[in-house]
Amino acid sequence: MDAHWGPAVCLVVLVRTWALVSGQVRYSVPEEAKVGTVVGRLPQELGLEAGDAEARRLRVVWQGRRASVEVSGASGALVVSSWLDREELCGKSAPCSLRLEVLLERPLRVFPVELEVTDINDNAPLFPAARKNISMAELTTVPGSRFPLEGASDADIGANAQLSYTLSPSEHFTLDVKSPDENRKLLFLVLTKALDRETVPVHRLVLTASDGGRPSLTGTMEVVISVLDVNDNAPQFSQSVYKVQLPENAAEGTLVVRVNATDPDLGPYGDVIYDIDTFEPASGSDLFSIDTKSGEIRLKGSLDFEAVTLYDLQIKAMDKGLPPLSSHCSVELEVLDVNDNAPEVWVTSLSVPVPEDASVGTVVALLSVSDRDSGANGRVRCWVWPPSPFGLESRFAGSYSLVLREALDRERVSAYEVEVRAEDGGQPSLRGSRGVHVPVSDVNDNAPSFSQAVYTVLARENNAAGAELARLWARDPDEAENGRVSYSVWEGGAGATSSGVGWRPASSYVSVDAESGRLWAVQPLDYEELQALQFEVRAVDAGEPPLFGNATVQLFVVDENDNAPALLPPPGGGLGLVPPAGQVVAKIRAVDADSGYNAWLRYEVWEPRGKGPFRVGLYSGEVSTARALEEADGPRQRLVIVVRDHGEPSRSATATLSVSLVEGGEAALSGAGSQSSSGLGVLLPAEGGFSAGAASSSSNVWLVVAICAVSSVLVLALVLYGAARCAPRAAVLSGPAPATLVCASEVGSWSYSQRQSRSLCVAEGAGKSDLMVFSPNLPPPPAVAAAKDTSHPEPSALLDTVSSPLVLSSPPPFFPSNEINASFLASLQHFHLSSLEDCKTCRLWS
């Protein structure tokens, strides 16, 4: 402000001068003068003395304004007391005069004073706003368009308020200032060049206003021109072609690619929406989806290299303008193969069943093998599993023949389950397979075969006609007609009969059912007529030509106890002396037409009961004195002898023996008999009637003859036994089992077995048990160790041969009935092996 004091002092002088002329005190002070600045010396103006101002209390009274000047103390000078702002006090009014009243007391007087506040250039031009925003549409706003601007204002007056305007440099805008009058100026912003929002979206200009003060003050306003967008740009992709590779096993939801398109426009004009325009091939529409906002393309299905290897997607990006603008790009998706397909095996031709006599190299089936994968994943190797008579031969790529490598045998394997396996070359490799059922057709290459070459059949005599004897079965492993077996009796011979009848065909005794192989009796069998029968059964299949097999059947008739013992006529003779105790006086002879156990006879004294003078040998039938005869016994004795067999139930016959004591050297024997009983008479001479030496001599002769005969038979038996062991046995009587062995007592009855027995053993001791075993030609029994009594010597070799039937644990499976088996085994259990130890002499009967 010091620079303004010079003019101010001059102004004060002028005011004073003016005041003196007009008679009113006028002062002038510049605005913003410092506090304490002397505006004027009122005492002097009012003609007061220097000390009167304070004494008379000189002061300034403002009219409705705050006091900005005051009278200073003793000097009475009018000084600035507070900040003076002309713009605040007077605004734009010019001049700015303030009316003051100077009050003087003692005496009270009022003097008007006019104070003019002069303007200084203390206010810069001021725009209504620091920023002016203007919006202009690109392209549509043509050059030359004018946009009004508000000018600045300056609180100063006069030259300090004279404003001039300038605009910052711009190639698009200029400033046009119009002055309709001196106090008003109109400002226009003029567009000189078309706008492009994408080039310069916002133009920032500075409008400057300068006043006419010295120095000049300026004010500025920022003019912001926002270029409004129009939809003049289509979205642009970052790439015209996106190339992507995905494995075919990519999971659903996998990100394929993210396309990106940009639109330089703003707002909806720059918002891009993505869409898949076209699919190549069209099946891709089910596999891909795109996010309309982000442009992410994802899988929504499963890829399959074997179906499609390349997908071409045309992607469209479109903005939201009206009308919308769009652009396109291409996404090329290459599907990479993975080993996800196992090899496939197909049977294109199958020639089954294969005859079992087919030659090696016969083609059974044609196979096709393929793998939908490519490269190593699609290379396939094949083989047959499990190892079988079949193999593979490659015809050309992917085609194989299943051929026969070995001869077939339907009876060993009737059908083959062939598995053709294929494996590809992937990592890891995959396998495929195809099962081929190859049945083998039958040819008639097997004859019927019986389970046994020789069947031994036991048949009870007196069986009913039509009774089943056994069931024969022949196996033919062929099938259908080739394996359907029919049976027939192939004539053999029958054994000799007791009636003397010669050879008779086997069909007169037995027959076989053609379908079931059931062997049955044509007529009841009589053991006394037929003991053994051997014949063949033939099994013939229905093949073409038919094949057959034979089996030998050995039929043994098991004796039934159907004959009672029969007494033989007694021989003549007598004793000359009164017999001492133990003397044989008679011999009862009887035979039984049955065989074996049923023909084994025993003798008992039936009458008299108690202790009589006579006794009978249990098995010999010899009647001997039990003690010396006495006169008290009477001249005549009557004995009733019962002869019983061992059958079940047993049969018997009775013989009546009359013993008379007579005088003289002649004894007579008389008797009578019938089928059920017979009578015998024995005359015992009185003392001195016969010579004891003659009787003894006769007995010794017969004893020597008997011993020689037995010895001869024993030697003959040993010779025949050795020959039988070395040479094949006869058809009917051959077999693994030995001949029947019968042991009887000392002079035992052997006459019952003259026709049936095979061997006879005679042992001493009338009270010892006998052994009788019937052994047909049975299969060898299982080896069982026979119990052996170490206290006795080993039996002879001949006796060893009969031990095996005694350890037979169960009947053969071909026995005709359990009834016969039980009867046969029961008869075996009756005898004791220990009885063999008592045998001293044996005779072999042919």
Side-chain angles (χ1 to χ4, degrees), residues 180-237:
D181 52 43
E182 294 181 0
N183 299 322
R184 194 162 57 99
K185 289 185 178 181
L186 301 177
L187 304 179
F188 296 93
L189 186 63
V190 181
L191 179 65
T192 60
K193 184 178 180 181
L195 299 175
D196 185 3
R197 193 203 64 80
E198 290 70 36
T199 303
V200 181
V202 177
H203 295 266
R204 298 183 180 275
L205 305 175
V206 177
L207 179 61
T208 303
S210 302
D211 60 20
R214 293 286 188 271
S216 175
L217 299 178
T218 59
T220 60
M221 177 180 67
E222 184 181 20
V223 179
V224 178
I225 299 95
S226 298
V227 181
L228 299 178
D229 187 37
V230 294
N231 195 23
D232 59 338
N233 292 281
Q236 296 296 320
F237 283 97

Side-chain angles (χ1 to χ4, degrees), residues 18-91:
W18 174 76
L20 290 176
V21 175
S22 61
Q24 184 180 4
V25 178
R26 292 178 179 268
Y27 294 105
S28 176
V29 61
E31 62 177 332
E32 300 181 3
K34 291 183 177 180
V35 175
T37 300
V38 178
V39 178
R41 299 186 182 276
L42 289 176
Q44 295 177 4
E45 298 294 342
L46 298 177
L48 300 177
E49 294 295 334
D52 291 343
E54 185 175 6
R56 298 183 66 176
R57 303 189 60 177
L58 182 64
R59 56 188 178 89
V60 177
V61 179
W62 287 79
Q63 295 179 357
R65 298 178 182 269
R66 64 179 179 86
S68 298
V69 293
E70 62 183 10
V71 177
S72 172
S75 65
L78 186 65
V79 299
V80 176
S81 60
S82 63
W83 178 268
L84 287 174
D85 186 359
R86 190 199 68 80
E87 288 76 29
E88 180 184 355
L89 295 173
C90 300

Side-chain angles (χ1 to χ4, degrees), residues 308-536:
V308 180
T309 59
L310 182 67
Y311 289 93
D312 188 354
L313 310 180
Q314 294 297 321
I315 310 301
K316 178 174 68 174
M318 182 173 59
D319 60 27
K320 296 181 181 180
L322 291 175
L325 300 179
S326 62
S327 63
H328 293 81
C329 75
S330 177
V331 175
E332 294 180 358
L333 172 61
E334 181 183 0
V335 182
L336 302 179
D337 182 43
V338 296
N339 193 25
D340 60 340
N341 289 280
E344 294 179 330
V345 182
W346 302 95
V347 179
T348 57
S349 178
L350 182 61
S351 179
V352 292
V354 180
E356 61 178 321
D357 59 351
S359 60
V360 174
T362 300
V363 177
V364 177
L366 298 180
L367 305 170
S368 175
V369 181
S370 63
D371 192 318
R372 299 176 62 198
D373 296 323
S374 62
N377 296 335
R379 287 195 294 269
V380 180
R381 66 182 186 93
C382 300
W383 70 96
V384 174
W385 182 262
S388 65
F390 302 96
L392 286 180
E393 291 182 358
S394 178
R395 300 169 62 235
F396 48 84
S399 181
Y400 295 87
S401 296
L402 183 66
V403 298
L404 187 62
R405 293 282 177 83
E406 301 174 7
L408 300 177
D409 183 3
R410 192 206 63 83
E411 287 70 39
R412 184 174 59 88
V413 181
S414 61
Y416 291 88
E417 296 297 334
V418 181
E419 184 180 14
V420 179
R421 293 184 175 181
E423 182 181 58
D424 61 26
Q427 293 294 332
S429 62
L430 298 179
R431 288 185 177 183
S433 64
R434 176 68 63 177
V436 181
H437 178 70
V438 183
V440 180
S441 61
D442 184 49
V443 295
N444 193 24
D445 58 344
N446 290 279
S449 174
F450 286 92
S451 58
Q452 299 174 218
V454 177
Y455 289 84
T456 301
V457 180
L458 300 181
R460 177 176 295 176
E461 72 168 324
N462 301 322
N463 59 335
E468 182 175 325
L469 303 178
R471 285 186 182 268
L472 283 66
W473 180 71
R475 177 180 178 272
D476 192 326
D478 295 326
E479 64 178 357
E481 293 298 310
N482 296 333
R484 186 166 59 84
V485 179
S486 59
Y487 303 89
S488 61
V489 173
W490 192 256
E491 294 295 346
T497 64
S498 60
S499 61
V501 178
W503 180 91
R504 292 177 61 183
S507 58
S508 63
Y509 295 100
V510 295
S511 180
V512 63
D513 186 81
E515 293 186 0
S516 65
R518 171 178 168 266
L519 183 67
W520 53 278
V522 175
Q523 61 181 359
L525 300 177
D526 185 2
Y527 177 82
E528 287 70 39
E529 175 188 349
L530 177 69
Q531 292 82 45
L533 176 66
Q534 176 173 303
F535 56 92
E536 288 188 352

Side-chain angles (χ1 to χ4, degrees), residues 601-728:
L601 304 181
R602 60 183 179 180
Y603 302 84
E604 299 176 6
V605 177
W606 187 256
E607 290 181 2
R609 299 280 185 175
K611 296 182 178 180
F614 297 98
R615 65 184 179 187
V616 64
L618 180 62
Y619 297 107
S620 64
E622 293 179 344
V623 179
S624 61
T625 56
R627 56 181 171 79
L629 297 176
E630 299 175 356
E631 291 183 3
D633 294 328
R636 182 178 293 277
Q637 297 288 329
R638 181 177 179 272
L639 302 179
V640 178
I641 308 299
V642 178
V643 183
R644 301 180 186 274
D645 60 24
H646 283 72
E648 287 294 339
S650 65
R651 295 177 178 268
S652 64
T654 60
T656 302
L657 176 66
S658 296
V659 181
S660 299
L661 294 175
V662 296
E663 296 290 339
E666 181 180 354
L669 183 85
S670 62
S674 63
Q675 290 182 351
S676 60
S677 64
S678 65
L680 298 176
V682 178
L683 298 180
L684 296 180
E687 185 175 353
F690 278 108
S691 172
S696 175
S697 175
S698 176
S699 300
N700 291 336
V701 171
W702 286 108
L703 180 61
V704 171
V705 172
I707 292 174
C708 292
V710 170
S711 300
S712 301
V713 171
L714 176 61
V715 172
L716 178 61
L718 293 176
V719 172
L720 294 178
Y721 175 74
R725 297 284 289 181
C726 300

